[in-house]
Amino acid sequence: MAKSPSTSGVGRGSFRQAQAWLHTWCGLWVSWLLFAVFLTGTLAVFEEPITHWMTPEHHAEDAAQAADPAAEAGGNLSQRLAWGLAYMEQHHPDAEMWELWPADAEGAGRLTVYWFDAARAYAEARLNPATGEPLGAVARTARDTLGGHHFVDFHYQLHAGRAGLWAVGIAAMVMLVALVSGVITHRRIFQDFFTFRPRKGQRSWLDAHNATGVLTLPFQLMIAYTGIVISGLSFMPAGVVTFYGAGSEGVRAHMAALEEGGKPPRSGQAMAVPDLEPFALRGQQLMGQPVRAVVISHPGDAAARIGVYGWNQEDSMRQRLSATSGMVMFSAATGEVLQVRLPGGVDGGGASLAQSVLGGLHRVEFGGLALKWLYFLCGLAGSAMVATGAVLFMVKRRTKLLGEFGRATARVYGLIESLNVAAIAGLALACIGYLWANRLVPVELAHRHDWELATFFGLWLLALVHALYRPPARAWNEQLGALAALCLLLPLLNWMTVGDQLWAQFLRADWESMGVELVALACGGVALLALRRRTQHRPVATTRKAAGGGVAAAGVSVPASATRAKEAA
């Protein structure tokens, strides 16, 4: 009689055997979601370069600005602040907040002002840094796209809001269980790291799974734990409920408190905003950073406050985990210093600082480019660990039906194999397809970024349907072939659609665009190599049968060597 999963290993044998059962089944049921979270999170490490590549119109814009003498000679800090203040007083005197950006990180460049409009939406205007005159409406980008932020959003909430956040949080908790149980299971964990036997079937898959897991084990533990901590208030809202009450009213009160940050309400007594230069210079001295922005809350009122915020310089960001910039808050009426926050500090005490540090550790907001590449490579290794674990589950069962699901075992095996194809090769197809959509969807199309997202999810769904209706071996080959083609042809697509190419990117030192295309070529090469290895070892059984209890009936391929061994026996 076939054994069910609940009785096939639990409660019997050693503690290590129980942990092996826990590792197998916990890992399997969340492996598809975890692979999606890991792969998109890995891509999110380079959110800015991906966005840069997906907004090619900005390249010419930035070059024109760099060559604009007005941007370099556009007056001193005092003059720029005065121009920004005059613009806001003339055009938006009733706004609740004025935000002036008088310079870029190098002390020159754009002069931009921001405010909250009547709908409390963030609005902006760009001013000529040499004259203070408006430059017209700001077009954020010629093409409407989410850019690399799509991978960030999907990574932590699956574009599904709170429900997606909870799904990813639960998967992260299960991942911690799988990691700990995996360490207990592998009694030769360090030896496994140095062991890899190629072309050995199941043994090779197990070696690959062990090596990628052990190599990045500290990273995997850190990334799962810090990911949970970042959304801790959503998962454990008791503190918010205690102070602000339960339900939607409590949530609104909490958000209002965060937004106001303890600022007093308007006094009703009119008072002109004073000259901003003395506040900016004092703030710069107190926080030890150049001025990034000057923010006036309740402008035109005696209760107004002036906040001076600093630029996070690249050198300093390599040396601290918390990514917050410096800030000095003044009373506009008296000039009194109300608050000083040094770079890396946070409001809210030690608990807030700990959460900020753990958040910076998760999002790699420190350490510079070298650490970003380390996170990227570790993320790829983590993705490989999850993928090889999912594949290993089926490799173990290709020659032996273990009967975990009774009479339905063969059909469940077939479904798992199809889900493996769609979750691994299919998701990679969807990711590269998202970049193709950025070049192929018409620029002038309304709600254009929704079409790019639709391409991502549509390709993924198509990959699932394809995997369900094709024999697994052929589904793997066909999706890997499509992935290799899309990756290798991406530079050609870029050249044909926007006229840009790798050599031109190299000549203008556009390392971000060049990096995106080189990584795509590398991924295409890996997919092509995997396809070549698979076609060199063609499986014998590639057809689905309507009934029967064997493994081949589930569409699971049986290696020729295993078939010959059975015949010899």
Side-chain angles (χ1 to χ4, degrees):
M1 182 176 178
K3 297 176 182 178
S4 66
S6 60
T7 61
S8 59
V10 180
R12 303 193 309 169
S14 68
F15 175 71
R16 181 173 280 110
Q17 289 173 325
Q19 293 301 305
W21 181 93
L22 184 65
H23 179 77
T24 298
W25 292 102
C26 280
L28 175 68
W29 299 128
V30 299
S31 61
W32 305 300
L33 176 57
L34 277 178
F35 180 80
V37 169
F38 251 93
L39 183 61
T40 54
T42 301
L43 295 174
V45 170
F46 289 116
E47 172 192 0
E48 293 85 0
I50 293 173
T51 300
H52 176 80
W53 186 90
M54 295 180 72
T55 53
E57 293 78 12
H58 272 321
H59 304 168
E61 225 177 87
D62 294 340
Q65 185 190 358
D68 184 6
E72 297 297 330
N76 55 29
L77 176 65
S78 175
Q79 184 64 72
R80 292 184 180 204
L81 289 172
W83 276 325
L85 188 60
Y87 176 87
M88 297 302 296
E89 288 175 339
Q90 180 181 353
H91 294 89
H92 306 285
D94 298 325
E96 294 183 14
M97 179 277 297
W98 297 345
E99 184 174 327
L100 317 179
W101 288 52
D104 59 21
E106 286 74 36
R110 298 174 181 174
L111 169 59
T112 312
V113 293
Y114 303 85
W115 66 94
F116 286 131
D117 60 18
R120 290 196 61 76
Y122 215 43
E124 70 175 279
R126 190 177 302 162
L127 309 181
N128 188 317
T131 65
E133 294 297 320
L135 295 176
V138 176
R140 290 188 179 274
T141 174
R143 60 184 68 204
D144 175 26
T145 178
L146 292 178
H149 189 71
H150 153 63
F151 297 112
V152 177
D153 199 335
F154 185 89
H155 164 68
Y156 79 95
Q157 64 174 11
L158 310 176
H159 286 293
R162 184 169 292 272
L165 183 69
W166 272 93
V168 173
I170 292 171
M173 287 295 299
V174 177
M175 178 183 173
L176 287 175
V177 173
L179 287 172
V180 173
S181 58
V183 171
I184 296 172
T185 299
H186 297 298
R187 67 180 69 192
R188 301 183 307 168
I189 186 168
F190 294 107
Q191 181 178 343
D192 287 341
F193 170 64
F194 296 102
T195 302
F196 182 70
R197 287 153 284 192
R199 303 178 186 274
K200 298 294 183 181
Q202 176 181 329
R203 187 71 253 179
S204 298
W205 284 106
L206 181 58
D207 288 344
H209 181 65
N210 290 339
T212 52
V214 175
L215 172 65
T216 59
L217 180 61
F219 175 82
Q220 314 302 344
L221 290 168
M222 178 276 294
I223 213 72
Y225 177 72
T226 54
I228 295 169
V229 170
I230 289 174
S231 303
L233 288 178
S234 297
F235 301 142
M236 296 182 291
V240 174
V241 171
T242 299
F243 284 96
Y244 300 103
S248 58
E249 290 298 325
V251 172
R252 279 195 290 270
H254 177 232
M255 295 307 295
L258 290 177
E259 182 180 328
E260 291 301 319
K263 294 189 293 290
R266 285 182 176 269
S267 67
Q269 181 180 351
M271 188 195 78
V273 176
D275 181 17
L276 296 177
E277 183 189 20
F279 293 94
L281 294 178
R282 287 175 63 197
Q284 184 172 274
Q285 182 179 13
L286 289 171
M287 66 184 172
Q289 285 186 319
V291 176
R292 169 172 56 96
V294 178
V295 180
I296 303 100
S297 303
H298 302 325
D301 189 88
R305 292 188 172 187
I306 298 174
V308 179
Y309 294 81
W311 280 107
N312 272 331
Q313 296 174 316
E314 188 174 348
D315 290 343
S316 66
M317 285 304 297
R318 292 195 183 99
Q319 302 169 14
R320 52 186 171 89
L321 291 176
S322 179
T324 57
S325 64
M327 185 274 293
V328 182
M329 186 68 67
F330 299 94
S331 166
T334 66
E336 177 189 359
V337 177
L338 302 175
Q339 181 185 0
V340 177
R341 184 184 73 203
L342 295 177
V346 296
D347 303 325
S352 296
L353 179 60
Q355 187 178 36
S356 176
V357 168
L358 291 175
L361 192 61
H362 185 88
R363 292 185 288 261
V364 65
E365 294 172 335
F366 64 99
L369 187 61
L371 199 61
K372 283 182 179 290
W373 275 107
L374 179 61
Y375 268 56
F376 184 78
L377 295 175
C378 287
L380 289 180
S383 302
M385 176 192 70
V386 176
T388 52
V391 172
L392 178 62
F393 179 89
M394 283 311 307
V395 170
K396 285 183 175 181
R397 289 156 177 79
R398 279 176 178 165
T399 56
K400 183 178 181 182
L401 189 122
L402 300 183
E404 295 105 331
F405 303 95
R407 294 183 178 180
T409 296
R411 289 189 295 274
V412 174
Y413 283 177
L415 177 62
I416 291 173
E417 183 88 19
S418 298
L419 290 175
N420 280 348
V421 178
I424 299 170
L427 176 67
L429 264 174
C431 290
I432 191 64
Y434 175 69
L435 299 185
W436 274 66
N438 178 259
R439 291 299 190 259
L440 296 179
V441 175
V443 174
E444 65 279 0
L445 194 64
H447 306 291
R448 188 180 176 283
H449 71 272
D450 291 331
W451 287 93
E452 291 182 355
L453 283 182
T455 301
F456 173 83
F457 287 107
L459 275 175
W460 202 6
L461 178 62
L462 184 62
L464 174 61
V465 174
H466 173 265
L468 289 172
Y469 284 93
R470 293 288 284 170
R474 292 182 180 176
W476 274 114
N477 291 347
E478 289 161 1
Q479 293 199 23
L480 285 173
L483 174 63
L486 290 182
C487 289
L488 294 174
L489 292 175
L490 185 67
L492 178 62
L493 172 72
N494 189 39
W495 174 68
M496 293 177 63
T497 52
V498 300
D500 197 13
Q501 55 178 312
L502 280 167
W503 181 244
Q505 294 162 5
F506 175 77
L507 291 178
R508 67 174 184 264
D510 186 358
W511 311 124
E512 292 182 314
S513 297
M514 193 174 178
V516 169
E517 296 191 12
L518 288 177
V519 169
L521 290 175
C523 292
V526 171
L528 197 61
L529 179 62
L531 177 62
R532 183 170 178 269
R533 292 290 300 274
R534 285 187 56 82
T535 53
Q536 285 178 342
H537 300 83
R538 290 184 180 275
V540 171
T542 56
T543 58
R544 296 180 186 271
K545 297 181 180 179
V551 180
V556 180
S557 15
V558 180
S561 59
T563 306
R564 287 193 296 269
K566 286 185 177 181
E567 291 172 352

